[in-house]
Amino acid sequence: MESELSVRDVLTTDYVGVSESDSVRGVVRLMREERTSCALVVRGAEPVGIVTEWDVLGLVADGHDPDDTTVGDVMTTPVITAGPDRSLTDVATTMARQNIRNVVVEDETGVVGLVTQRDVIAAAGSFQATMTPARSSEPPIDRDRAVADPAAAPLNDEGETGVRPNGGDEYTTQGVCEACGSLADALWDANGQLVCSDCRTV
């Protein structure tokens, strides 16, 4: 990418803050009113946890009463934080590795916002064009012939054939798969879409 996005470029500054003693039902109502998928749990100015729609679904699935259950009982803790100047690629990688959908953004003054998986997906669309390789002026490769006859395939800088039998050009830029929406360490160009390795083989 020519200019990599930072957390500051995409963070959500308006977030729902709740306390550990709040009832889950009250927090769910607030999340619905604010049309958000999570609420940040704070103790004073310090973030101590996060409640997501998945936490609420787990509570209901286990048969607990949301009126008698507090936020402190269901919140995910500790929260994962990042600075506003951290690259969005790094944060997206952290989300994928930690299997989380929200990262709290803090600076020296305290919490400044959240980066959600939705923010990452929306940002992916803004730099997708820069991830698309320039089209070569050379004539198109007959991939079927190149696979059957490796001598017909062009060589890359390492002297290896540039055709991949399973299809697609690999992107080392980490991003969001256009087929399944998951974060991936590498994307492949398959039929005009940037997809992860799992979707490439489908």
Side-chain angles (χ1 to χ4, degrees):
M1 269 179 280
E2 293 181 0
S3 58
E4 188 171 22
L5 290 174
S6 70
V7 168
R8 191 188 305 278
D9 296 322
V10 302
L11 67 86
T12 301
T13 56
D14 293 330
Y15 60 89
V16 172
V18 298
S19 111
E20 296 165 87
S21 59
D22 290 339
S23 74
V24 171
R25 186 180 296 277
V27 171
V28 169
R29 287 196 184 112
L30 187 57
M31 288 167 62
R32 285 192 65 190
E33 288 171 8
E34 298 298 327
R35 301 181 65 82
T36 183
S37 62
C38 68
L40 184 61
V41 186
V42 292
R43 189 183 298 150
E46 179 186 0
V48 294
I50 195 164
V51 176
T52 70
E53 54 197 1
W54 289 102
D55 296 322
V56 176
L57 287 172
L59 175 76
V60 173
D62 292 339
H64 297 293
D65 186 346
D67 287 315
D68 296 333
T69 307
T70 66
V71 167
D73 294 328
V74 301
M75 69 182 184
T76 299
T77 186
V79 294
I80 305 298
T81 62
D85 295 321
R86 190 169 168 190
S87 79
L88 189 60
T89 299
D90 285 345
V91 170
T93 300
T94 298
M95 286 180 169
R97 288 178 178 166
Q98 298 287 335
N99 194 27
I100 58 175
R101 298 184 175 204
N102 307 279
V103 171
V104 178
V105 184
E106 286 185 304
D107 64 11
E108 62 278 359
T109 65
V111 176
V112 294
L114 294 172
V115 171
T116 69
Q117 189 179 52
R118 289 187 178 119
D119 294 329
V120 173
I121 292 171
S126 70
F127 60 71
Q128 179 180 334
T130 64
M131 293 178 3
T132 303
R135 299 301 179 190
S136 173
S137 59
E138 296 175 2
I141 300 169
D142 183 341
R143 292 187 180 271
D144 292 333
R145 178 171 173 252
V147 171
D149 179 10
L155 300 180
N156 60 21
D157 294 337
E158 287 74 34
E160 301 170 338
T161 58
V163 174
R164 305 179 192 275
N166 289 332
D169 298 318
E170 183 179 8
Y171 291 77
T172 56
T173 304
Q174 189 265 354
V176 178
C177 173
E178 292 183 4
C180 67
S182 65
L183 295 170
D185 290 331
L187 296 175
W188 299 77
D189 182 1
N191 297 324
Q193 282 190 312
L194 295 177
V195 299
C196 64
S197 57
D198 291 337
C199 293
R200 182 175 65 92
T201 58
V202 173

